[in-house]
Amino acid sequence: MSSSPTNKADGVQIHQTRILPDFLQSVNLKYVKLGYHYLVSHLLTLCLVPLMTMFIVQASQLNPNDIHQLWLQLQYNLVSVVIFSTIVVFGSTVYIMTRPRSIYLVDYSCYRPPSHLQAPFHRFMEHSKLTGDFDESSLEFQRKILERSGIGEETYVPEAMHFIPPRPSMAKAREEAEQVMFGALDNLFANTNVKAKDIGILVVNCSLFNPTPSLSAMIVNKYKLRGNVKSFNLGGMGCSAGVIAIDLAKDMLQLHRNTYAVVVSTENITQNWYFGNKKSMLIPNCLFRVGGAAVLLSNKASEKQRAKYKLVHVVRSHCGADDKAFRCVYQEQDDVGKTGVSLSKDLMAIAGGALKTNITTMGPLVLPISEQLLFFSTLVAKKLFNAKKKPYIPDFKLAFDHFCIHAGGRAVIDELEKNLQLLPVHVEASRMTLHRFGNTSSSSIWYELAYTEAKGRIRKRNRVWQIAFGSGFKCNSAVWEALRNVKPSANSPWEDCIHKYPVQIVA
């Protein structure tokens, strides 16, 4: 989870002089080393591919007489032939066995709630007042959050929150989960014509709602998935759990051949609305909204022809060993026993540190060699000669064509735009997703990708960087490469409103 508003009320301060740390001031060398370690782990592939290419080029230049002479020489050098053949067979076997399988994103679907669940600001504030749970200071605090957060008037809250008084219950929470997950999955299966029985791997992530049977079991039961499906249910991992779920599905697809994996990313609001007056626990009420996404992955070579993207990298950074990072997004009870998620005033600074770790690890994997050399040389100079020398911050716009930054809040997007030196168009998808759908937690990066597709901006071989933050504290990234000029799928969440965007967001 992440939050962004800058407010101060009743002595509760939720703003920093600088929201994210300046990346120019400190870069940890160990994370650079980690990135190069990832690179070296694929060294065998990087070496064999050029050698095989050179061999093929040389062989293509031989004429029939050359081939005949080579055959005559080989007839009298049987030992050399055997040794050479053994090396070729052994090398090919090692390459095939160690080469990671390509993971394709066949398609994905984002849930679009019905219009009667929309919560315009006036209705949100009216309902908050009529519940009788919030004092005047808390109501004013929520009003300011809504006005400054960057969310719009058309976001959605669950049905239980539309009643006065609200009716949160286990039954209503299950109903919300079913509507979101099944709505996204129904559309995904309809668009891809993949049968539920063909799904070999299922990964579901939802941070705050984990009933028994699990959400993954609810999907297995609904769609009658086969008995040997490998199902996983991830809980308590925050807004970056969508990337974690992709990483888990990727690892499972490396083990199980010729199959499909479905990843479902969502969050559940019904039983996690906060009805107290602690300011740091009120922010999620104002930002988090109903949403979810279902993603179809496959390791089948045949799916490359119709797949939208190929998974290139997943980089995960965990800062949970630090106590402040661990507690900066923390579910707990307030002084009167009401449960909510508390957001620390240090949240943004901790998010900045996690981001720095993640992008420093990511750099050697994705940046052009020229950027890597500039970055590494200035870093070494800083370590050996001048500690005050500012390291060179690489231009990630040279590595990625599109950016899907988790729509945690307005200030998150503002600071990433500034620190990564991005252009307004690079963060447009994040801002518009926050405005139209609010913070939908782990699924927000998919609404952002759907926005970019709906705008017709993704071309063949474009690279997309999805980056999200989560409780714990974590920063996780996924990199995708477009396999073709990507068009939006049927029933895209932006299908009937993309012409309205981008909109001007009032400061």
Side-chain angles (χ1 to χ4, degrees):
M1 294 183 178
S2 54
S3 168
S4 65
T6 301
N7 289 283
K8 183 165 68 176
D10 288 358
V12 178
Q13 187 172 358
I14 308 177
H15 103 280
Q16 301 279 303
T17 303
R18 179 172 183 83
I19 297 180
L20 291 183
D22 189 351
F23 299 151
L24 291 172
Q25 298 304 317
S26 64
V27 177
N28 199 323
L29 184 59
K30 70 178 181 180
Y31 299 117
V32 180
K33 293 178 180 177
L34 183 59
Y36 280 97
H37 170 73
Y38 288 163
L39 187 66
V40 171
S41 66
H42 296 88
L43 189 60
L44 179 62
T45 300
L46 294 174
C47 292
L48 282 177
V49 170
L51 288 174
M52 293 176 65
T53 303
M54 290 176 59
F55 177 80
I56 293 172
V57 170
Q58 290 295 326
S60 65
Q61 296 176 350
L62 296 176
N63 57 44
N65 185 55
D66 293 331
I67 297 174
H68 179 68
Q69 293 297 322
L70 180 61
W71 172 251
L72 292 177
Q73 292 179 21
L74 291 176
Q75 284 182 312
Y76 298 102
N77 291 275
L78 184 59
V79 174
S80 300
V81 172
V82 171
I83 294 174
F84 177 77
S85 300
T86 302
I87 293 174
V88 171
V89 171
F90 178 77
S92 301
T93 302
V94 170
Y95 174 75
I96 293 172
M97 294 298 292
T98 59
R99 178 177 57 92
R101 295 184 180 90
S102 295
I103 308 300
Y104 302 108
L105 192 162
V106 181
D107 205 350
Y108 65 97
S109 174
C110 297
Y111 176 67
R112 171 97 175 255
S115 58
H116 71 269
L117 295 183
Q118 287 183 351
F121 292 173
H122 74 277
R123 187 188 304 170
F124 182 98
M125 292 306 303
E126 180 184 359
H127 280 216
S128 294
K129 184 176 182 179
L130 291 174
T131 61
D133 292 299
F134 307 107
D135 58 31
E136 288 300 321
S137 175
S138 295
L139 290 171
E140 179 62 15
F141 181 80
Q142 291 181 77
R143 184 186 66 78
K144 290 181 179 180
I145 294 291
L146 290 173
E147 292 175 351
R148 302 174 185 180
S149 63
I151 69 170
E153 299 274 1
E154 297 181 314
T155 59
Y156 307 89
V157 298
E159 185 175 354
M161 297 299 108
H162 285 270
F163 293 99
I164 301 175
R167 302 176 185 175
S169 66
M170 175 65 79
K172 286 294 185 182
R174 285 184 181 274
E175 184 178 318
E176 179 192 346
E178 290 173 354
Q179 289 175 349
V180 173
M181 296 190 305
F182 299 164
L185 285 167
D186 286 347
N187 190 53
L188 180 68
F189 289 144
N191 287 346
T192 59
N193 293 317
V194 171
K195 298 178 181 178
K197 292 289 186 182
D198 294 331
I199 305 303
I201 300 161
L202 172 65
V203 184
V204 181
N205 70 270
C206 181
S207 189
L208 294 175
F209 182 58
N210 292 284
T212 300
S214 66
L215 298 178
S216 59
M218 291 165 60
I219 293 174
V220 172
N221 177 259
K222 164 70 175 179
Y223 295 97
K224 309 304 177 187
L225 302 187
R226 63 198 198 201
N228 64 344
V229 65
K230 305 295 185 296
S231 66
F232 302 87
N233 200 93
L234 307 181
M237 304 193 80
C239 298
S240 67
V243 177
I244 296 173
I246 291 292
D247 191 35
L248 176 56
K250 176 203 72 174
D251 290 343
M252 294 301 295
L253 286 170
Q254 295 298 332
L255 297 175
H256 302 278
R257 295 178 177 273
N258 203 39
T259 190
Y260 293 100
V262 166
V263 171
V264 179
S265 296
T266 187
E267 191 50 84
N268 195 282
I269 298 174
T270 297
Q271 283 191 307
N272 296 288
W273 203 267
Y274 176 61
F275 294 99
N277 292 290
K278 187 176 180 180
K279 303 300 189 298
S280 63
M281 300 172 79
L282 280 169
I283 297 173
N285 286 11
C286 302
L287 295 181
F288 282 84
R289 295 295 184 262
V290 174
V295 184
L296 180 65
L297 305 173
S298 181
N299 54 15
K300 294 185 177 184
S302 58
E303 288 293 354
K304 182 179 180 180
Q305 300 304 316
R306 67 163 178 163
K308 288 185 171 183
Y309 305 95
K310 176 181 176 181
L311 182 60
V312 182
H313 300 294
V314 176
V315 174
R316 295 166 54 182
S317 304
H318 205 307
C319 303
D322 179 79
D323 291 341
K324 283 188 177 181
F326 175 72
R327 294 187 64 91
C328 70
V329 180
Y330 204 78
Q331 188 178 26
E332 58 185 351
Q333 291 181 322
D334 64 13
D335 295 337
V336 296
K338 295 185 178 181
T339 301
V341 176
S342 177
L343 305 180
S344 165
K345 61 184 177 63
D346 298 320
L347 172 60
M348 293 306 300
I350 291 168
L355 175 65
K356 181 181 68 177
T357 299
N358 193 266
I359 65 174
T360 306
T361 304
M362 174 78 75
L365 303 176
V366 298
L367 289 168
I369 190 65
S370 58
E371 290 293 295
Q372 292 189 46
L373 290 174
L374 283 170
F375 172 72
F376 192 70
S377 60
T378 54
L379 182 60
V380 170
K382 174 181 173 66
K383 294 292 182 181
L384 297 180
F385 305 111
N386 183 4
K388 295 182 179 180
K389 182 179 178 61
K390 293 183 178 180
Y392 173 76
I393 299 301
D395 185 358
F396 280 89
K397 297 188 295 295
L398 298 176
F400 304 111
D401 302 282
H402 309 283
F403 297 78
C404 296
I405 300 166
H406 166 54
R410 183 173 184 172
V412 177
I413 302 170
D414 287 346
E415 288 300 311
L416 284 178
E417 178 183 10
K418 179 179 179 180
N419 278 277
L420 295 180
Q421 301 173 5
L422 303 179
L423 301 175
V425 68
H426 294 133
V427 295
E428 181 184 313
S430 299
R431 292 193 191 281
M432 297 307 105
T433 294
L434 180 64
H435 181 271
R436 178 62 184 84
F437 294 100
N439 182 346
T440 60
S441 189
S442 56
S443 64
S444 68
I445 54 178
W446 297 107
Y447 286 89
E448 294 163 19
L449 185 58
Y451 177 91
T452 309
E453 290 180 1
K455 283 294 184 180
R457 294 173 180 171
I458 298 184
R459 320 305 294 174
K460 186 175 181 179
R461 286 188 288 276
N462 278 181
R463 284 198 169 192
V464 180
W465 183 14
Q466 292 180 321
I467 185 164
F469 303 96
S471 57
F473 192 84
K474 301 177 287 292
C475 178
N476 300 319
S477 294
V479 180
W480 304 89
E481 181 178 339
L483 298 175
R484 52 190 170 88
N485 296 342
V486 180
K487 297 180 180 179
S489 301
N491 296 317
S492 161
W494 301 93
E495 193 170 62
D496 64 346
C497 62
I498 191 63
H499 61 282
K500 301 177 184 178
Y501 291 90
V503 298
Q504 184 68 35
I505 299 176
V506 179

